[in-house]
Amino acid sequence: MVQRNATRLLNLVNQLLDFRKSDVSGHHLSMSDGDIISYINNLCTSFTSLSEKKDVHLTFYSAIPSLNMSFDEDKIGKVMMNLLSNAFKFTPDGGRVDVAVDLIKDLEHQEILEIKVADTGIGIKEEDKERIFERFYQVDNPGIDISGSGVGLNIVRDFVTLHGGTVKVMDNAPTGCVFVVHIPVRRSGNKAVEMEQVHTAEELTAEIPVTAAPKFPAKSEFPAASKSPAEREPEPEAG
């Protein structure tokens, strides 16, 4: 737990350095090949202790057992850490945070990695949804004392954009919100590296309990050629 907390603190410090770097010289991708499903699952696992402390149910669900692609581990890691940190920050005790990953296709049949981070928190007002990705913008929640810098979601948008992707937010009925990240799948063909971190579906779901596919909004704002995780048959319970 100490190591995980120290890692999160280090990520926050690095985030401030990234923020400063973007003003000075901009960001650049450092791509490497690997199993992004396993990578995201491991990041979710680092929030297990916080999940238990806050009594917030955390689930990870992947519609595919593995996906070998080229991505910047550092930047995708910071994207997920920010989205998960926000989800836990605004979700009251007894709530839930769901992470779902799928491989879909856009209208041009380009493979897209879809990541959804949903919570049952206080939600985001309609007028704030278009501005939350702006630098230093903070949502005004009367009666709720939650401090922040207004930098995290701006970094999320910048790092996703660097990967050629998009990020949007929508409501998670009856309460909370869902952040949807779309990243085009790129493969370099380096099979030796790609095969190093392949995991089976059983190994992935064993690390964080998954009782069923998370339920997300019925209508997505993004075109997709395949079914969403909520429309698929639930995976058998791990363990």
Side-chain angles (χ1 to χ4, degrees), residues 141-218:
N141 292 301
I144 301 177
D145 184 20
I146 301 178
S147 59
S149 62
V151 172
L153 289 179
N154 177 258
I155 287 179
V156 167
R157 184 194 62 183
D158 287 352
F159 286 178
V160 171
T161 302
L162 274 176
H163 281 82
T166 60
V167 56
K168 289 190 177 182
V169 62
M170 61 183 71
D171 293 329
N172 184 31
T175 180
C177 61
V178 183
F179 283 86
V180 184
V181 174
H182 280 185
I183 297 176
V185 175
R186 300 177 184 175
R187 295 184 175 91
S188 70
N190 190 341
K191 295 183 180 179
V193 177
E194 290 177 353
M195 293 178 63
E196 285 180 358
Q197 301 180 29
V198 174
H199 294 262
T200 65
E202 289 76 12
E203 290 173 329
L204 289 173
T205 56
E207 296 185 41
I208 297 179
V210 179
T211 55
K215 296 185 181 299
F216 294 104

Side-chain angles (χ1 to χ4, degrees), residues 17 49 51 73 81 96 128 133 151 177 194 205 221 231:
L17 295 175
S49 60
S51 169
E73 287 192 6
M81 294 293 282
R96 62 182 294 130
D128 291 323
F133 297 105
V151 172
C177 61
E194 290 177 353
T205 56
E221 298 177 12
E231 295 173 324

Side-chain angles (χ1 to χ4, degrees), residues 61 63-64 102-104 213 226-234:
Y61 171 80
I64 52 177
D102 199 359
L103 182 64
I104 64 174
S226 62
K227 292 183 179 180
S228 68
E231 295 173 324
R232 296 175 183 266
E233 291 297 321

Side-chain angles (χ1 to χ4, degrees), residues 9-226:
L9 180 59
L10 177 62
N11 284 329
L12 290 175
V13 173
N14 287 336
Q15 185 172 284
L16 292 175
L17 295 175
D18 287 334
F19 177 68
R20 178 57 181 160
K21 185 194 297 184
S22 68
D23 284 339
V24 176
S25 59
H27 291 292
H28 303 282
L29 290 177
S30 179
M31 306 289 273
S32 60
D33 292 346
D35 180 7
I36 197 167
I37 305 300
S38 175
Y39 182 69
I40 293 174
N41 186 45
N42 289 335
L43 290 171
C44 292
T45 304
S46 69
F47 282 82
T48 301
S49 60
L50 179 60
S51 169
E52 295 172 350
K53 181 180 179 180
K54 289 196 63 177
D55 189 27
V56 172
H57 187 58
L58 172 64
T59 67
F60 173 83
Y61 171 80
S62 178
I64 52 177
S66 63
L67 176 62
N68 297 297
M69 60 179 281
S70 298
F71 63 100
D72 188 317
E73 287 192 6
D74 177 65
K75 292 178 175 56
I76 293 298
K78 287 168 183 170
V79 166
M80 292 304 303
M81 294 293 282
N82 272 298
L83 292 179
L84 284 166
S85 295
N86 271 3
F88 277 98
K89 183 190 298 184
F90 293 103
T91 299
D93 295 358
R96 62 182 294 130
V97 173
D98 298 307
V99 179
V101 185
D102 199 359
L103 182 64
I104 64 174
K105 291 186 178 181
D106 61 17
L107 294 177
E108 298 179 353
H109 301 289
Q110 163 74 36
E111 287 186 319
I112 302 292
L113 173 69
E114 181 178 73
I115 307 168
K116 292 180 179 179
V117 179
D119 62 63
T120 57
I122 59 178
I124 300 174
K125 297 177 182 177
E126 202 64 36
E127 58 267 27
D128 291 323
K129 289 178 182 175
E130 293 299 322
R131 299 198 60 193
I132 58 173
F133 297 105
E134 294 178 9
R135 185 178 296 184
F136 301 128
Y137 185 78
Q138 291 179 282
V139 176
D140 183 21
N141 292 301
I144 301 177
D145 184 20
I146 301 178
S147 59
S149 62
V151 172
L153 289 179
N154 177 258
I155 287 179
V156 167
R157 184 194 62 183
D158 287 352
F159 286 178
V160 171
T161 302
L162 274 176
H163 281 82
T166 60
V167 56
K168 289 190 177 182
V169 62
M170 61 183 71
D171 293 329
N172 184 31
T175 180
C177 61
V178 183
F179 283 86
V180 184
V181 174
H182 280 185
I183 297 176
V185 175
R186 300 177 184 175
R187 295 184 175 91
S188 70
N190 190 341
K191 295 183 180 179
V193 177
E194 290 177 353
M195 293 178 63
E196 285 180 358
Q197 301 180 29
V198 174
H199 294 262
T200 65
E202 289 76 12
E203 290 173 329
L204 289 173
T205 56
E207 296 185 41
I208 297 179
V210 179
T211 55
K215 296 185 181 299
F216 294 104
K219 288 187 177 180
S220 172
E221 298 177 12
F222 305 92
S226 62

